[in-house]
Amino acid sequence: MGQVALRRLFAIFSALLMAAPMPAKAAVFLTFNGTTGVFGNDLADNPTFTDTIDLGALPVGWMISATISSTYQDGLQDAQDIDFTSVTLNGQSFDIGTTGQNEFRFINNAVAQGTTNLFQISGTSGTNSSYSGTINVAPVPEPATWAMLICGFGMIAMTLRRSWRKAGAVLEAV
């Protein structure tokens, strides 16, 4: 292969690379301490996006609640608008709160899956848009914990009942 042929091949390859859609210059972030956190993305020049955010390992059965939102300023819809097409946590869809200028979705009491807990966020965006969300994770008491709590209330009730009986017996004696 001659040098001219290599240059033509390089020019064709370069043209194909420039014509191909480039991945978003996205800045996906997650700040999570194991119980609360924030996540989001600053989208730039990408009309469609799909983000995956991994919360990492959480104990199986813990409950996860989260919100996600975006908004745009009046007159800047083309540049700042985000329309979510799908928002899920471990495959469970978020409920739709509002759409339009103020997009808002939420999920309450989704069950943690153990080793991987994934947010999947897809949608369309303007050239200067972003979204953000919050996460809250809480352990669910185990059945043994509930049993101890109920037994404790029962013991308190028995103690109160005995003290009332003693107080009634003292009043009768007087």
Side-chain angles (χ1 to χ4, degrees):
M1 205 182 236
Q3 193 171 11
V4 174
L6 283 174
R7 285 185 185 164
R8 284 186 185 158
L9 186 61
F10 180 75
I12 292 170
F13 182 73
S14 297
L16 287 173
L17 280 178
M18 285 190 238
M22 298 302 285
K25 297 175 186 173
V28 178
F29 67 89
L30 170 65
T31 305
F32 184 59
N33 68 10
T35 57
T36 60
V38 294
F39 64 93
N41 191 347
D42 298 323
L43 302 163
D45 298 328
N46 192 18
T48 61
F49 65 93
T50 298
D51 295 335
T52 301
I53 300 173
D54 188 354
L55 294 178
L58 295 170
V60 174
W62 280 32
M63 304 306 271
I64 304 171
S65 296
T67 63
I68 185 171
S69 63
S70 71
T71 188
Y72 62 84
Q73 296 172 348
D74 288 331
L76 296 175
Q77 178 176 358
D78 291 340
Q80 295 181 341
D81 186 27
I82 288 183
D83 293 314
F84 298 118
T85 55
S86 173
V87 182
T88 62
L89 172 62
N90 297 328
Q92 185 178 350
S93 294
F94 278 49
D95 294 323
I96 298 173
T98 59
T99 59
Q101 183 173 358
N102 299 302
E103 289 265 337
F104 177 75
R105 295 192 183 201
F106 62 94
I107 193 166
N108 289 317
N109 300 324
V111 179
Q113 301 296 312
T115 57
T116 57
N117 294 279
L118 299 176
F119 283 110
Q120 295 278 334
I121 305 156
S122 299
T124 59
S125 69
T127 57
N128 185 23
S129 55
S130 64
Y131 67 81
S132 63
T134 61
I135 308 161
N136 292 302
V137 179
V140 176
E142 295 180 11
T145 305
W146 284 109
M148 284 192 331
L149 180 68
I150 292 169
C151 287
F153 283 133
M155 292 172 78
I156 291 170
M158 284 179 18
T159 304
L160 288 173
R161 186 172 180 194
R162 283 184 183 170
S163 67
W164 289 334
R165 283 186 181 171
K166 287 181 182 177
V170 168
L171 288 175
E172 286 178 13
V174 172

